[in-house]
Amino acid sequence: MKIREIKDLLQAEIVCGEDQLDREVISACCSDMMSDVLAYVKDQGVLLTGLVNAQTIRTAGMMDMVCIVFVRDKRPTDSMIELAQECGIVLMYTALRAYEASGRLYHAGLGRSTSHE
Amino acid sequence: MNEPIRFHFDVDGENFSSAGEASVTVKKRLRQLGYPPDVIRKVSVAMYEGEINMVIHAHGGEADIEVGKSEIVIILRDKGPGIANVDLAMQEGYSTARDNIRALGFGAGMGLPNMKKYTDSMHIDTEVGVGTTITMKVLL
């Protein structure tokens, strides 16, 4: 799935990384606990989260994720946007809650074929 | 390369939002040096968890990375409170971090287990009231 489709499915607003919306991702992860993301993510390219701080960006960067979706209309700060641009990560936010945002992406087929350990 | 490449960082213990800067830098350097993505991920995630731990528990510390021919060694030193029970600290889910740390996305008791998981060997040298030195190796 292209990042552009994620934006459309979640009616999200892009914060940065507009030029990377055609990148393909195969799966996603939803968590507010960054240690869990560091423990369990393998090739999920998208992080859905309600956690808004610099560690959200660094954690996604560590796991080579390419897109972060902030749920519940949470907005990243300027320093987070700068960090995301350095790491080449797309940031967007949606008014949806984490459960519905994840459900819409899953229903549309994102990550459905991968096994969940 | 015969001589190992060394990186040294002082980890600021006062500022949670800067925690992880050293790990991000190491990740970039290893990428520039052309190491495989899985090696880079192992080293940078293990170091990142260690850096976060030093900030949460030990008021910061020092990180040294040695990139050798056959392995990458990560040494994290702090003068924090030490770890009273290492076996307990190694259990997934056990944490002494306060709730305010959990609100920041860490403190779930996954730090040390993650560091062990992502490295080929990990040694913890700790003394209560003196500090902790963690040595991790990732084989190339």
Side-chain angles (χ1 to χ4, degrees), chain B residues 76-96:
Chain B
L76 306 169
R77 286 188 195 86
D78 70 60
K79 292 177 180 157
I83 304 168
N85 186 333
V86 173
D87 289 339
L88 205 52
M90 286 304 301
Q91 280 180 22
E92 285 188 11
Y94 176 82
S95 176
T96 57

Side-chain angles (χ1 to χ4, degrees), chain A residues 32-43 51 53-56 58-59 61-64 83 86-87, chain B residues 16-21 23-24 27-28 31 41 44-45 48-49 52 103-106 108 110 114 117-118:
Chain A
D32 288 350
M33 189 50 81
M34 295 302 109
S35 278
D36 283 345
V37 175
L38 292 167
Y40 301 117
V41 162
K42 286 193 180 112
D43 50 10
L51 183 76
N53 65 37
Q55 304 311 338
T56 316
R58 288 202 188 94
T59 298
M62 287 294 159
M63 304 316 282
D64 306 302
L83 197 55
E86 273 173 41
C87 301
Chain B
F16 181 79
S17 72
S18 69
E21 278 178 356
S23 307
V24 172
K27 181 161 184 155
K28 268 188 212 156
R31 211 181 256 163
R41 187 183 284 191
S44 56
V45 171
Y48 181 48
E49 287 280 19
I52 296 279
L104 295 167
F106 289 89
M110 294 301 290
N114 272 354
K117 177 179 161 183
Y118 280 102

Side-chain angles (χ1 to χ4, degrees), chain B residues 4-95:
Chain B
I5 303 169
R6 292 190 166 87
F7 305 114
H8 175 83
F9 302 92
D10 291 316
V11 178
D12 178 5
E14 302 307 315
N15 187 354
F16 181 79
S17 72
S18 69
E21 278 178 356
S23 307
V24 172
T25 303
V26 164
K27 181 161 184 155
K28 268 188 212 156
R29 299 276 176 83
L30 292 177
R31 211 181 256 163
Q32 286 161 358
L33 290 166
Y35 285 95
D38 63 320
V39 166
I40 297 175
R41 187 183 284 191
K42 283 170 158 182
V43 171
S44 56
V45 171
M47 182 177 166
Y48 181 48
E49 287 280 19
E51 230 188 307
I52 296 279
N53 272 351
M54 284 201 282
V55 174
I56 294 175
H57 298 289
H59 314 294
E62 293 178 11
D64 284 282
I65 316 301
E66 284 180 22
V67 183
K69 241 185 203 172
S70 57
E71 62 187 18
I72 298 177
V73 183
I74 308 154
I75 303 165
L76 306 169
R77 286 188 195 86
D78 70 60
K79 292 177 180 157
I83 304 168
N85 186 333
V86 173
D87 289 339
L88 205 52
M90 286 304 301
Q91 280 180 22
E92 285 188 11
Y94 176 82
S95 176

